[in-house]
Amino acid sequence: MPRVRVLYFAHARDAARTAAEDLEVPAQVDPPLLRTLLAQAHPGLATLLPVCRFALAQAFIDGPVAPTPGEELAVIPPVSGG
Amino acid sequence: MAEAAPLLLGLAEGPLTGPALTPAAIVGPARGAVASFLGVVRNHARGRAVTQLHYEAYRPMAQRQLERFAAEARERFGAELAVAITHGLGTMRPGEVSVAIHCGAAHRAPALQAVAHLIERLKADLPVWKQQTFADGTVEWVAGS
């Protein structure tokens, strides 16, 4: 199982109480699975995760992806730039 | 051979000042139309007085997203489109400029449309978040624009 670097931003960081951590994930993941895994790791994130997107190696995840060990997996709560 | 149209894309520390505010860097003799958008920090949100904002970003992805947005804009509005986008980060106050988008094209329709398109893309898919401080002292992440 690859170990990825999970990054939390904005209100996701507040809810998870960490900015970054290493996490072992299955060889293939998709957004629903990530929501389940991260809610297990951080119950405080459970209400926010349904509206979060995810990015692997700085690209949004739309479907199944196969992470490479050490890749960044970002938890992207609703954005508010611009 | 003519120079490629400029792409000037990036993040800045603090509110935008000086060169980022103007389209001067993308003015050129092949581009008869230059259009701009500036995002300005508002002093109110949903009827509540806002005293300051704080912007944060997933910086490497924000840079890559700006590059993707500009490439898409060139596919849609012409390969010779010049694009300058700067998003400020950190603490800002009402009246300060948080983002600037400038586009240049041979003609006005693509330049104007590209600016309108890019601010929508940015608001939807740029990994940047703002936290508002209200006059009563509460601090909240904006739920999403």
Side-chain angles (χ1 to χ4, degrees):
Chain A
M1 301 223 315
R3 187 174 281 267
V4 294
R5 184 80 177 152
V6 183
L7 305 179
Y8 300 96
F9 290 95
H11 22 327
R13 181 182 60 246
D14 290 350
R17 301 193 182 178
T18 183
E21 64 188 356
D22 293 328
L23 192 70
E24 245 184 29
V25 297
Q28 186 167 276
V29 296
D30 62 11
L33 179 57
L34 289 170
R35 292 192 183 99
T36 301
L37 291 174
L38 293 170
Q40 284 168 1
H42 297 283
L45 270 176
T47 52
L48 186 58
L49 282 167
V51 293
C52 287
R53 288 183 285 177
F54 303 96
L56 185 66
Q58 294 96 45
F60 281 116
I61 299 172
D62 297 319
V65 291
T68 302
E71 270 188 327
E72 285 184 353
L73 192 148
V75 179
I76 312 261
V79 298
S80 48
Chain B
M1 186 159 166
E3 282 177 19
L7 287 179
L8 304 167
L9 309 169
L11 307 171
E13 298 312 311
L16 304 189
T17 61
L21 292 177
T22 85
I26 63 165
V27 172
R31 294 180 282 282
V34 178
S36 294
F37 172 86
L38 298 181
V40 180
V41 177
R42 238 187 306 123
N43 59 8
H44 61 278
R46 299 194 190 167
R48 299 167 69 191
V50 173
T51 55
Q52 72 178 37
L53 294 186
H54 182 85
Y55 280 101
E56 77 171 48
Y58 178 15
R59 290 169 185 255
M61 184 177 174
Q63 185 66 41
R64 290 185 63 174
Q65 288 293 88
L66 291 178
E67 290 162 9
R68 289 176 179 125
F69 300 158
E72 286 170 15
R74 283 186 157 176
E75 283 175 21
R76 238 175 116 145
F77 302 107
E80 292 311 303
L81 187 74
V83 181
I85 306 175
T86 310
H87 200 304
L89 299 176
T91 300
M92 303 195 202
R93 301 198 180 279
E96 294 182 323
V97 178
S98 56
V99 63
I101 301 172
H102 310 288
C103 291
H107 300 287
R108 65 189 180 279
L112 288 163
Q113 289 166 18
V115 169
H117 170 84
L118 284 164
I119 185 59
E120 298 306 320
R121 285 299 274 123
L122 205 143
K123 286 178 98 55
D125 289 331
L126 191 66
V128 170
W129 298 269
K130 74 184 170 204
Q131 189 178 46
Q132 294 177 137
T133 301
F134 295 96
D136 65 3
T138 35
V139 179
E140 291 171 6
W141 290 103
V142 171
S145 24

